[in-house]
């Protein structure tokens, strides 16, 4: 009985907390409270954001903060405040640094009801922003008449052009390029729309295809009922355990992403003469990568593969350790992967969310290990002769290529969605002339990024969160043009006809070059 009462009390407290939060983000905030949140944001940026003035001078940024603060003369709701604060913070031009908007929370009961309703109307289609227009690239809805390459003109009668103008200000790339903003818009606009308008059970799309304009209404689709296994298909517990174990091994090996239902890494031989292999890497953040790369490069050597295509398109980045490990199989000579990592101060890494996440056991272990963690990070950071503070990690040491390192020709596919860690490894491959690049300018900068450990800072009056970057990560190879991405050796341009025909323009170009080089 006591356990039931305790569970009920926890549930009521949770519901109360959710209701209070939702009420708060729907209420006007007074000017003095808005100014307090701006002051806290600026203070944390100054204290913890590594190399804050990489793309904007300290005086210019302070002027923007002061000018914005002076405009806060009337009450406004948290979301409106967010839409004005985000562009000011984005003037720092660091893509990892972000302002996280307040959004309505769901209770456990509401979440359960929503999940039972199934896939929302935004999740049923995938989109791409091309030349100032939004196109459908995948249709997973029950309405099969929405063809690939269909242009989206409006969402619930609001022009897509207006949505782009409104939402593209709320996030930024590294530096000055626009490829990241445009490439990401197709995936991000629905998130911003939901934050602004709430969850949508139905969406009215105004569409255009082959000079015909029409409307389609997509509603939330209920999940298909699971088929019960017949007697013939039932398996024993022993077989089931074996099946689950193999599935778990495969998921770790290839890095399974349950959100996109795809594997992060794949490897295959694509030409009939077995001279070319493709390594597709969607991200560097999931799975036990060492075994995958080790096996792949052994196979390349054993099969005497001459050409390796590495597909980093739409790869948002991930672990520095993983790209350092991958590079050890690609370099032909001893190398240093990264410069020393710049941080804002001697103790700025203490701001990292060391205790974030995990159950009670994990938090307890973290508490026990805390003195060692903070002591280690304190002594790893040292002041340089230039007066700046630097963290020295394993990626800053000189290394030799692996015994099974690939010695053939490397082709790398990139686009505006190539960001963060995928750009760090691309910078070194480009600067060392180790690879041929095909596609479009990357969304991440050639000369590095500010990321690493990225804690969240809560602005309590508006319930907005500020995501900071504590570490400036710089590849060994750099370019004189600051604030731009890695440019391809062979630039490609995707058209609507390519979308309709499902042509992979970059892959076709790589295979064409390989054929010519024979």
């Amino acid at each position: 009985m006591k356990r039931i009462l305790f569970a009920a009390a926890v549930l009521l407290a949770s519901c109360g907390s959710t209701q209070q939060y939702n009420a708060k983000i729907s209420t006007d905030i007074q000017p003095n409270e808005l100014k307090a949140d701006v002051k806290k944001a600026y203070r944390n940026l100054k204290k913890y954001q590594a190399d804050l003035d990489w793309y904007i001078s300290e005086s210019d940024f302070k002027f923007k903060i002061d000018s914005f603060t002076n405009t806060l003369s009337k009450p406004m709701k948290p979301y409106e405040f967010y839409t004005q604060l985000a562009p000011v913070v984005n003037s720092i031009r660091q893509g990892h640094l972000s302002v996280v908007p307040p959004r309505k929370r769901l209770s456990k009961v509401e979440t359960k009801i929503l999940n039972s309703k199934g896939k929302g109307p935004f999740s049923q289609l995938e989109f791409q922003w091309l030349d100032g227009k939004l196109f459908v690239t995948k249709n997973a809805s029950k309405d099969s008449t929405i063809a690939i390459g269909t242009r989206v003109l409006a969402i619930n009668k609001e022009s897509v052009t207006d949505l782009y103008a409104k939402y593209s200000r709320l996030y930024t790339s590294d530096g000055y390029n626009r490829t990241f903003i445009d490439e990401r818009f197709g995936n991000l606009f629905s998130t911003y729309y939901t934050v602004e308008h709430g969850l949508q059970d139905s969406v009215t799309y105004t569409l255009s295809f082959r000079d015909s304009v029409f409307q389609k209404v997509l509603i939330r689709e209920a999940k298909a009922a699971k088929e019960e296994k017949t007697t013939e298909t039932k398996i024993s517990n022993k077989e089931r355990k074996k099946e689950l174990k193999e599935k778990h091994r495969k998921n770790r090996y290839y890095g399974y992403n349950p959100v996109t239902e795809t594997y992060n890494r794949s490897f295959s031989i694509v030409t009939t003469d077995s001279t070319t292999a493709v390594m597709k890497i969607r991200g560097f953040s999931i799975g036990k990568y060492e075994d995958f790369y080790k096996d792949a490069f052994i196979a390349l050597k054993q099969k005497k593969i001459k050409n390796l295509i590495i597909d980093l398109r739409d790869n948002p980045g991930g672990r520095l350790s993983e790209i350092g490990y991958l590079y050890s199989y690609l370099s032909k000579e001893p190398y240093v992967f990264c410069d020393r990592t710049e941080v804002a101060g001697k103790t700025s890494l203490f701001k990292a969310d060391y205790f974030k996440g995990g159950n009670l056991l994990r938090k307890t272990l973290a508490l026990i290990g805390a003195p060692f963690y903070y002591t280690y990070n304190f002594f790893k950071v040292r002041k340089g002769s230039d007066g700046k503070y630097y963290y020295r990690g394993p990626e800053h040491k000189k290394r030799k290529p692996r015994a099974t390192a690939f010695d053939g020709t490397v082709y790398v596919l990139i686009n505006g969605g190539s960001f963060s860690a995928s750009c760090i490894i691309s910078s070194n491959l480009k600067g060392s002339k180790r690879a041929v690049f095909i596609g479009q300018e990357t969304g991440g900068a050639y000369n590095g990024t500010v990321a690493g450990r990225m804690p969240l800072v809560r602005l309590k009056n508006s319930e907005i969160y500020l995501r900071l970057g504590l570490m400036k990560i710089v590849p060994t190879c750099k370019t004189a043009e600051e604030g731009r991405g890695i440019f391809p050796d062979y630039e490609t341009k995707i058209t609507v006809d390519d979308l309709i025909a499902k042509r992979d323009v970059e892959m076709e170009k790589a295979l064409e070059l390989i054929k010519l080089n024979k």
Side-chain angles (χ1 to χ4, degrees), residues 17-260:
S17 175
T18 300
Q19 290 173 354
Q20 289 172 6
Y21 172 86
N22 290 337
K24 183 177 180 180
I25 66 171
S26 302
T27 306
D28 282 343
I29 312 169
Q30 296 306 309
N32 63 314
E33 293 176 321
L34 296 171
K35 291 177 181 179
D37 276 4
V38 175
K39 185 177 180 180
K40 182 175 181 179
Y42 180 64
R43 185 172 65 248
N44 277 272
L45 286 166
K46 283 275 292 176
K47 188 173 182 180
Y48 299 111
Q49 179 76 15
D51 202 5
L52 181 64
D53 57 353
W54 193 346
Y55 298 116
I56 186 172
S57 69
E58 185 178 338
S59 59
D60 283 352
F61 183 60
K62 188 176 188 306
F63 178 78
K64 285 180 177 290
I65 288 289
D66 291 342
S67 299
F68 175 56
T69 303
N70 291 334
T71 66
L72 302 174
S73 57
K74 61 180 182 180
M76 65 176 71
K77 289 183 170 54
Y79 178 77
E80 182 186 358
F81 175 57
Y82 157 74
T83 62
Q84 296 185 28
L85 176 63
V88 176
V89 174
N90 288 342
S91 67
I92 297 171
R93 297 184 181 276
Q94 289 294 343
H96 291 87
L97 171 65
S98 60
V99 184
V100 184
R103 59 188 304 175
K104 183 182 177 182
R105 292 176 182 171
L106 299 180
S107 66
K108 290 183 178 179
V109 173
E110 289 172 323
T111 301
K112 189 174 181 180
I113 292 172
L114 184 68
N115 289 337
S116 68
K117 287 182 178 180
K119 187 183 290 187
F122 280 128
S123 301
Q124 296 167 32
L125 301 175
E126 290 183 12
F127 309 90
Q128 187 166 353
W129 184 259
L130 285 177
D131 296 327
K133 299 170 186 175
L134 188 67
F135 296 95
V136 175
T137 58
K138 184 178 179 180
N139 179 10
S141 73
K142 292 179 180 178
D143 189 343
S144 60
T145 63
I146 303 175
I148 305 304
T150 298
R151 182 183 171 188
V152 184
L153 301 176
I155 304 288
N156 291 336
K157 298 184 179 180
E158 187 169 3
S159 162
V160 165
T161 304
D162 292 341
L163 292 177
Y164 178 83
K166 181 166 49 174
Y167 297 147
S168 63
R169 300 168 63 250
L170 303 179
Y171 62 103
T172 184
S173 62
D174 281 349
Y176 307 106
N177 76 61
R178 295 289 302 181
T179 56
F180 178 77
I181 293 170
D182 288 351
E183 190 69 36
R184 292 289 291 151
F185 182 75
N187 293 327
L188 288 179
F189 85 89
S190 59
T191 300
Y192 285 116
Y193 191 94
T194 302
V195 171
E196 182 181 7
H197 299 286
L199 289 165
Q200 305 291 301
D201 285 329
S202 69
V203 167
T204 301
Y205 292 94
T206 304
L207 305 171
S208 172
F209 189 74
R210 290 177 179 167
D211 299 324
S212 175
V213 177
F214 52 96
Q215 286 190 339
K216 290 287 183 178
V217 179
L218 295 186
I219 62 173
R220 192 174 291 277
E221 291 183 356
K223 294 179 180 178
K226 292 183 178 179
E227 295 182 8
E228 289 190 15
K229 293 180 179 179
T230 61
T231 307
E232 289 78 13
T233 60
K234 286 182 180 178
I235 57 176
S236 67
N237 287 335
K238 186 176 180 180
E239 290 172 322
R240 180 62 176 162
K241 285 179 180 178
K242 184 179 178 181
E243 183 183 282
L244 289 173
K245 186 177 179 180
E246 175 56 29
K247 184 179 179 181
H248 179 67
R249 187 204 69 81
K250 183 180 178 181
N251 287 353
R252 288 191 69 195
Y253 187 81
Y254 293 105
Y256 182 70
N257 187 333
V259 177
T260 59

Side-chain angles (χ1 to χ4, degrees), residues 251-472:
N251 287 353
R252 288 191 69 195
Y253 187 81
Y254 293 105
Y256 182 70
N257 187 333
V259 177
T260 59
E261 297 182 344
T262 57
Y263 288 103
N264 259 21
R265 290 176 288 277
S266 63
F267 176 76
S268 60
I269 296 171
V270 293
T271 51
T272 54
D273 58 1
S274 301
T275 61
T276 302
V278 172
M279 187 178 288
K280 170 67 178 175
I281 309 172
R282 291 185 170 87
F284 293 107
S285 58
I286 302 174
K288 191 177 171 75
Y289 58 84
E290 293 96 336
D291 290 343
F292 173 84
Y293 293 125
K294 181 181 177 182
D295 293 346
F297 283 95
I298 287 175
L300 288 171
K301 189 166 283 288
Q302 289 177 343
K303 296 179 184 295
K304 298 180 180 179
I305 300 295
K306 296 178 181 179
N307 306 290
L308 174 61
I309 302 171
I310 301 177
D311 188 350
L312 297 180
R313 291 172 295 178
D314 296 314
N315 182 319
R319 296 171 290 207
L320 188 60
S321 58
E322 181 171 347
I323 58 172
Y325 188 81
L326 172 58
Y327 191 77
S328 68
Y329 285 103
L330 297 171
S331 180
K332 288 186 174 183
E333 54 190 27
Y335 63 93
V336 176
F337 192 65
C338 284
D339 290 353
R340 291 179 302 166
T341 298
E342 183 182 337
V343 294
K346 180 71 175 175
T347 59
S348 60
L349 293 182
F350 290 6
K351 187 67 175 176
D353 292 332
Y354 174 69
F355 291 101
K356 184 180 178 181
N359 54 26
L360 181 60
L361 175 60
R362 186 172 178 178
K363 289 185 182 296
T364 302
L365 293 173
L367 183 63
I368 295 170
F372 303 98
Y373 170 82
Y374 288 109
T375 301
Y376 176 81
N377 279 286
F378 181 81
F379 286 108
K380 288 290 284 185
V381 174
R382 296 182 182 179
K383 194 172 187 178
S385 58
D386 56 1
K388 297 179 180 180
Y389 289 90
Y390 295 94
Y391 174 90
R392 190 172 179 84
E395 289 76 23
H396 313 133
K397 298 177 181 178
K398 193 167 187 177
R399 297 182 179 277
K400 293 180 179 180
R402 302 270 171 180
T404 55
F406 182 67
D407 59 1
T409 305
V410 179
Y411 298 84
V412 180
L413 310 185
I414 53 173
N415 65 2
S418 307
F419 190 69
S420 190
S422 65
C423 293
I424 298 293
I425 190 170
S426 293
S427 299
N428 284 334
L429 289 170
K430 178 82 169 179
S432 63
K433 299 181 180 179
R434 182 65 186 93
V436 177
F437 284 79
I438 302 165
Q440 302 90 45
E441 179 188 2
T442 60
Y446 194 126
N447 290 346
T449 189
V450 176
R453 298 171 195 175
M454 292 173 288
L456 290 169
V457 174
R458 175 175 170 252
L459 308 181
K460 65 176 183 178
N461 296 314
S462 58
E463 292 297 342
I464 289 171
Y465 281 84
L466 188 67
R467 186 176 184 236
L468 303 172
L470 303 185
M471 308 172 83
K472 181 182 179 182

